[in-house]
Amino acid sequence: MDSASVTAFFQTLAQGLLTGGLYALIGTGLSLIFGVMKVINFAHGDFLAIGMFITLALFKAFNIDPYLSLLVVAPAGFALGFLIQRFVLARLGDRLGEGSMLATLGLGLIVSNTLLLTFGAQPQSINVPYATTTFQFAGVQISIPLLVAGLGTLVAIVGLNLLLYRTELGRAIRATAQNPLGAELQGVKTTQIQAIVFGLGVAFAAIAGVLLMPLLYTFPTVGENYTTKAFIVTVLGGLGNLPGAVAGGLVLGVIESLGAFYISNNYRDAYGLIAFLLVLLLRPEGLFGKTVKRV
Amino acid sequence: MTAVATLPRPRALTFGNLWLSGALLVVMALYPFVFGKAMNFGVSTLIFAGLAMSWNILGGWAGQTSLGHAALLGIGAYTMTLLATPERLPAFLPSPLAPWWGALIGMVLAVALAAVWGGLTFRLRGSYFTLSTIAVALVLRLVAINSEWTGSSEGLFMPELPTLFGLDLFDRKVEYGLAFGFVLLTLVITHLIRRSRLGYGLQAVREDEDGARALGIDPTRMKLIAFMISAALTALGGSIYAIYLQAFEPHTLLELPISVQIALMAIIGGRTSIQGPLIGALLLSIFGEVFRTVFSNANLLIYGVLILVVTIYAPNGLMGLFRRGGLKLGVNR
């Protein structure tokens, strides 16, 4: 290999890893929700779309920098998720498993169609000066917003781990995930915990939306694509497996980038789907699960 | 296996049950004479009603929620159209095939796909199957978008078609007849399945897979048969839909929202009953049409609201509500 093709390889790899970081953030939210509540959230991408559109609206109305809107989007996402668990999912009772799929499908339709009514169907984007700036490292060009997104993902995931493993709330969340009844008997208010978990999951999706906004244009049904990506990430990593979700995100990003560069860009979305199907069929516990820990 | 004891006891098909199906069919048969000016609405509604009932053979009777039926719909539509278009014929075919042969081949292909897909995924339980259905449909969509042969993202135009018993297939009244026949066929098959060994086996598998296995039922085989029947009917619906549309693109046939729409019609109507999907499709089409004038293209909003309300308050769909409300239309009686 000559040096140009080596650089091209590392360029593609870096691109893939950074995009994969974002996928990891999206997948972590989905996986957290599944891990604790056994709910597959079909509206996950639509919550990401909410994050994008709040960012867009704040920028258009008050010229607020996209990254600054995190201060609004993250709490708003948390509150939305909390309320959805309280007023929708909690009402499903022992039908949560089968009912949640339909309920979240319904929520997704409500979100995307409300966005359509409010913002129209045209793709829109934010024009910030740093959108197209890049940064050189050993001959590899890296887009600044993508780098910020990667760092943001890192902060969010480290934060989540600190919460889960260093706090009393985290202990309660892990207890609820392992054995809801047992946790309840120990005085954990599991419905409260589930609301917090759903809130965190939605907040993660919405944060990912903010980080994507300077990079992409948005439209009301943009979430559909990201719901699929989130499913791919969680299945690659193993449903409900948080470190797996991070690894799954990175793997998906790299597969897409390398496939797009070396095979065909037209099938960019297909590589992940095929990997997803293969893992589903051959290793349903995920690429990184040690044993079959069927949830 | 306690759940076996709670299985609904097998009940004989009664007058009431057939009466409801018959009444719905009469209403549908009279539609062209009353609303002759709104034939587009009539044809598309009937096609989706048939698709919802086809979906329900797998989704309701076998309890396997598919969100990828758009793939099977697409196979029916694409196969029929490609085989009827002279310039798109595969090399081994000397002349274009009449649409009914194309539809039949589409059904065979859909059954083959279902056999492989189900054979691989029915080993897995619950949500894994649903997730796989999304992926399969999306892969097919990408192939359709990126292949020259399938007309890429511009899609296909319907060629001149031979007449069927002297009838022009592009006449809306003839298409209504085809769609009506499709609904009739799915309804008859569903009625037949309900009374058969297959029907009881499927319900047993749906309620308690391990219990069913203990009774000597092979759950994977049951689900597979249901999937193949469902796939064949869905592909047939796809062919009729293609004739109705006359031109289509991957976007109109292979997207996730199409799969979701078909599934939601069946679920909102009631997936454990025979007529539920039919009633769900009729109601949602009417709602969709009414709300299209209010919300233009955001009319799926009403689907979202309805599915939330139904999931929370009526887990067995509208038919479940009727049943519970003492309005016993002979369902499950």
Side-chain angles (χ1 to χ4, degrees):
Chain A
M1 280 211 282
D2 56 63
S3 73
S5 62
V6 171
T7 312
F9 173 78
F10 281 108
Q11 174 83 52
T12 314
L13 192 67
Q15 194 86 8
L17 283 172
L18 287 172
T19 320
L22 268 170
Y23 292 160
L25 183 63
I26 306 169
T28 300
L30 190 77
S31 211
L32 177 70
I33 291 172
F34 185 86
V36 177
M37 303 168 65
K38 307 290 171 279
V39 163
I40 296 194
N41 177 18
F42 278 85
H44 208 66
D46 298 297
F47 295 138
L48 180 142
I50 291 182
M52 292 179 97
F53 274 98
I54 295 180
T55 311
L56 180 80
L58 288 176
F59 181 81
K60 292 227 154 143
F62 309 109
N63 212 10
I64 292 178
D65 186 89
Y67 295 126
L68 213 56
S69 59
L70 275 174
L71 295 175
V72 178
V73 170
F78 181 82
L80 179 68
F82 193 93
L83 294 175
I84 288 175
Q85 160 62 23
R86 263 303 169 73
F87 291 104
V88 180
L89 299 179
R91 293 185 180 219
L92 297 171
D94 54 359
R95 293 183 292 112
L96 186 64
E98 44 159 339
S100 62
M101 190 184 88
L102 300 173
T104 53
L105 264 178
L107 284 169
L109 286 175
I110 293 174
V111 170
S112 57
N113 284 282
T114 307
L115 290 175
L116 189 58
L117 283 175
T118 321
F119 295 95
Q122 296 79 11
Q124 302 182 62
S125 64
I126 285 182
N127 228 333
V128 279
Y130 51 78
T132 50
T133 49
T134 55
F135 151 91
Q136 279 264 9
F137 179 77
V140 174
Q141 298 249 349
I142 291 166
S143 124
I144 296 282
L146 203 52
L147 191 67
V148 174
L151 292 174
T153 300
L154 199 65
V155 171
I157 288 173
V158 168
L160 178 67
N161 271 288
L162 289 178
L163 174 76
L164 285 179
Y165 294 97
R166 292 275 188 277
T167 67
E168 202 51 39
L169 174 64
R171 272 165 61 91
I173 292 176
R174 284 181 293 132
T176 308
Q178 276 171 16
N179 185 346
L181 189 63
E184 187 79 46
L185 290 173
Q186 294 300 313
V188 176
K189 292 199 177 67
T190 49
T191 43
Q192 192 79 8
I193 295 295
Q194 288 182 336
I196 291 172
V197 164
F198 206 79
L200 283 173
V202 173
F204 268 51
I207 291 171
V210 175
L211 297 176
L212 273 168
M213 202 53 224
L215 289 159
L216 296 172
Y217 54 87
T218 186
F219 46 96
T221 50
V222 69
E224 207 182 285
N225 191 19
Y226 288 101
T227 303
T228 319
K229 299 261 191 249
F231 289 161
I232 297 176
V233 168
T234 34
V235 166
L236 289 184
L239 278 171
N241 178 343
L242 291 187
V246 176
L250 297 178
V251 168
L252 176 63
V254 170
I255 289 178
E256 280 189 359
S257 275
L258 292 182
F261 187 74
Y262 288 103
I263 307 173
S264 153
N265 192 33
N266 289 344
Y267 284 96
R268 175 181 269 274
D269 289 331
Y271 309 122
L273 288 168
I274 291 165
F276 168 78
L277 278 173
L278 288 177
V279 169
L280 206 56
L281 297 175
L282 305 175
R283 265 186 82 85
E285 69 274 20
L287 285 176
F288 311 100
K290 263 176 278 167
T291 49
V292 182
K293 213 174 65 187
R294 194 65 59 81
V295 265
Chain B
M1 301 296 147
T2 50
V4 173
T6 64
L7 269 182
R9 250 178 309 136
R11 295 182 178 98
L13 193 65
T14 59
F15 175 71
N17 205 331
L18 276 177
W19 178 83
L20 180 59
S21 292
L24 287 166
L25 285 175
V26 169
V27 170
M28 288 183 270
L30 289 177
Y31 180 90
F33 302 103
V34 184
F35 300 100
K37 292 210 172 84
M39 288 308 279
N40 285 355
F41 173 73
V43 178
S44 67
T45 302
L46 282 199
I47 292 173
F48 272 92
L51 291 173
M53 283 199 293
S54 311
W55 180 90
N56 202 46
I57 293 171
L58 178 70
W61 296 103
Q64 303 298 305
T65 305
S66 155
L67 292 178
H69 261 49
L72 304 161
L73 180 78
I75 285 185
Y78 272 96
T79 309
M80 195 220 82
T81 312
L82 288 170
L83 294 182
T85 312
E87 55 276 19
R88 295 196 181 271
L89 276 189
F92 56 88
L93 272 180
S95 62
L97 293 181
W100 39 93
W101 295 116
L104 202 65
I105 294 171
M107 289 167 80
V108 171
L109 290 178
V111 170
L113 176 68
V116 176
W117 174 0
L120 289 170
T121 51
F122 283 144
R123 297 178 296 126
L124 307 167
R125 294 237 181 137
S127 323
Y128 285 100
F129 173 71
T130 305
L131 292 178
S132 84
T133 61
I134 298 174
V136 170
L138 287 178
V139 170
L140 278 190
R141 173 180 155 270
L142 283 167
V143 172
I145 287 179
N146 288 301
S147 154
E148 277 295 307
W149 187 44
T150 53
S152 322
S153 53
E154 279 102 72
L156 297 174
F157 276 98
M158 191 61 63
E160 288 287 308
L161 293 179
T163 54
L164 174 70
F165 306 123
L167 297 168
D168 176 9
L169 286 174
F170 294 137
D171 179 338
R172 282 283 181 257
K173 297 233 163 179
V174 175
E175 283 164 10
Y176 190 90
L178 286 179
F180 184 73
F182 174 50
V183 171
L184 187 65
L185 179 69
T186 48
L187 197 55
V188 167
I189 288 180
T190 316
H191 270 289
L192 290 176
I193 288 179
R194 181 181 171 73
R195 297 183 73 192
S196 68
R197 277 182 68 84
L198 175 66
Y200 293 127
L202 286 175
Q203 291 178 67
V205 170
R206 177 181 72 205
E207 301 299 331
D208 180 359
E209 195 163 326
D210 296 312
R213 201 187 299 273
L215 292 174
I217 295 168
D218 179 353
T220 310
R221 193 167 150 265
M222 286 285 159
K223 289 190 255 182
L224 206 52
I225 296 173
F227 195 8
M228 294 196 298
I229 298 174
S230 176
L233 290 173
T234 306
L236 178 63
S239 302
I240 299 173
Y241 198 36
I243 294 176
Y244 163 72
L245 290 172
Q246 289 187 29
F248 58 84
E249 37 168 346
H251 182 69
T252 43
L253 283 177
L254 290 165
E255 298 275 348
L256 181 62
I258 310 285
S259 301
V260 170
Q261 208 166 329
I262 295 171
L264 288 188
M265 284 173 165
I267 291 166
I268 289 176
R271 61 207 290 188
T272 55
S273 71
I274 288 184
Q275 297 90 352
L278 183 53
I279 290 175
L282 299 181
L283 264 180
L284 280 178
S285 297
I286 294 169
F287 268 118
E289 203 60 25
V290 171
F291 280 86
R292 205 187 306 276
T293 55
V294 187
F295 293 131
S296 68
N297 48 359
N299 63 327
L300 284 182
L301 186 64
I302 194 65
Y303 277 63
V305 174
L306 276 178
I307 193 70
L308 266 196
V309 172
V310 166
T311 335
I312 295 174
Y313 298 104
N316 289 318
L318 296 171
M319 288 301 280
L321 270 191
F322 290 147
R323 224 179 285 169
R324 214 173 46 193
L327 234 167
K328 290 186 182 123
L329 293 161
V331 191
N332 219 0
R333 262 292 115 188

